[in-house]
């Protein structure tokens, strides 16, 4: 049998009384593994939240686009209604003038009829 270290079973068995360095490193490793698990959980939650926020952003983007389109359509409708209103105001003014003219004409006609009746009574 050889006298080299590690060549016998006893040399290969773990040391029962472990060094303070080994315990410290074991604790550090355990803490690092725990931190890693925590970070993985946090990462998973963050990814999920990111997906939710991306969906929300898509929803609001689509909503914004639709509202812009609606706004554009409403502006067109409003411009059309303004033009119709201008036209209706113009027609109203023309009808008002015609009505006033007809009323003047009617008043003159009534006066003329009254004058003719008076003349006829004077003759007859």
């Amino acid at each position: 049998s050889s006298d080299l270290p590690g060549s016998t079973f006893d040399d290969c068995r773990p040391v029962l009384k472990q060094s303070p360095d080994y315990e410290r490193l074991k604790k550090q490793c355990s803490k690092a593994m725990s931190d890693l698990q925590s970070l993985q959980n946090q990462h998973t939650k963050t990814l999920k939240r990111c997906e939710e926020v991306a969906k929300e952003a898509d929803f609001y983007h689509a909503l914004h686009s639709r509202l812009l389109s609606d706004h554009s359509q409403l502006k067109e409708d409003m411009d059309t209604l303004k033009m119709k209103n201008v036209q209706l105001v113009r027609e109203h003014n023309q009808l008002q003038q015609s009505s006033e003219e007809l009323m003047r004409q009617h008043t003159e006609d009534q006066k003329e009829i009254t004058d003719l009746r008076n003349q006829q009574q004077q003759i007859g």
Side-chain angles (χ1 to χ4, degrees):
S1 122
S2 166
D3 288 345
L4 292 172
S7 60
T8 66
F9 179 74
D10 285 335
D11 288 341
C12 291
R13 282 196 342 220
V15 179
L16 290 177
K17 184 173 171 100
Q18 305 197 339
S19 71
D21 281 345
Y22 177 81
E23 284 300 318
R24 185 176 51 78
L25 289 172
K26 189 174 166 186
K27 281 182 186 174
Q28 282 181 355
C29 180
S30 182
K31 169 118 175 60
M33 293 303 283
S34 172
D35 290 349
L36 178 63
Q37 185 62 51
S38 176
L39 286 171
Q40 285 172 336
N41 293 342
Q42 197 176 340
H43 179 68
T44 300
K45 283 181 192 170
T46 302
L47 280 179
K48 191 180 285 186
R49 180 68 184 128
C50 186
E51 286 172 14
E52 290 169 4
V53 169
K55 282 180 189 172
E56 219 175 306
D58 287 346
F59 168 78
Y60 283 112
H61 176 72
L63 181 63
H64 181 255
S65 294
R66 200 166 70 241
L67 289 173
L68 279 180
S69 175
D70 290 353
H71 177 266
S72 200
Q73 184 61 53
L74 286 171
K75 190 174 180 331
E76 263 181 54
D77 294 350
M78 186 181 74
D79 290 344
T80 301
L81 287 172
K82 278 182 178 178
M83 287 185 345
K84 281 185 180 177
N85 185 54
V86 166
Q87 187 179 348
L88 287 171
V89 165
R90 194 178 299 130
E91 287 176 22
H92 174 265
N93 289 339
Q94 290 170 348
L95 288 171
Q96 184 85 30
Q97 286 177 350
S98 297
S99 173
E100 289 169 3
E101 181 59 36
L102 286 171
M103 292 292 282
R104 266 195 303 278
Q105 190 65 48
H106 176 71
T107 303
E108 286 177 19
D109 289 350
Q110 288 289 79
K111 187 175 184 296
E112 192 175 334
I113 289 172
T114 303
D115 288 349
L116 287 172
R117 283 192 182 139
N118 286 340
Q119 284 178 10
Q120 193 177 22
Q121 283 178 353
Q122 286 174 359
I123 296 175

